[in-house]
Amino acid sequence: MPLTLQNNGGTSIKVTAEVDDQENGPFKTGLLLDQSIWSSYSKIIAAKKFGNLRSSA
């Protein structure tokens, strides 16, 4: 699933992911963001810019 993040602020932002899957199901163990496990995901989005990412499980 493609996602678009938009930074409307005046400075860059760092985007990370946190998953709350109370049953340790597929989202806790298998959610991928840009083809990497969610817990390793990090992306910098410059001010007034868009960032795209792709999620999959």
Side-chain angles (χ1 to χ4, degrees), residues 16-20 28 31 33 38-39:
T16 60
E18 181 176 329
V19 174
D20 184 13
K28 187 75 167 182
L31 178 64
L33 299 174
W38 67 267
S39 58

Side-chain angles (χ1 to χ4, degrees), residues 1 3 17-33 36-40 55-57:
M1 168 190 310
L3 302 170
E18 181 176 329
V19 174
D20 184 13
D21 186 350
Q22 296 176 0
E23 297 182 20
N24 288 328
F27 293 108
K28 187 75 167 182
T29 59
L31 178 64
L32 301 178
L33 299 174
S36 296
I37 191 71
W38 67 267
S39 58
S40 298
S55 65
S56 59

Side-chain angles (χ1 to χ4, degrees), residues 38-51:
W38 67 267
S39 58
S40 298
Y41 181 78
S42 176
K43 183 173 196 136
I44 303 293
I45 301 176
K48 308 293 183 191
K49 298 290 181 181
F50 291 88

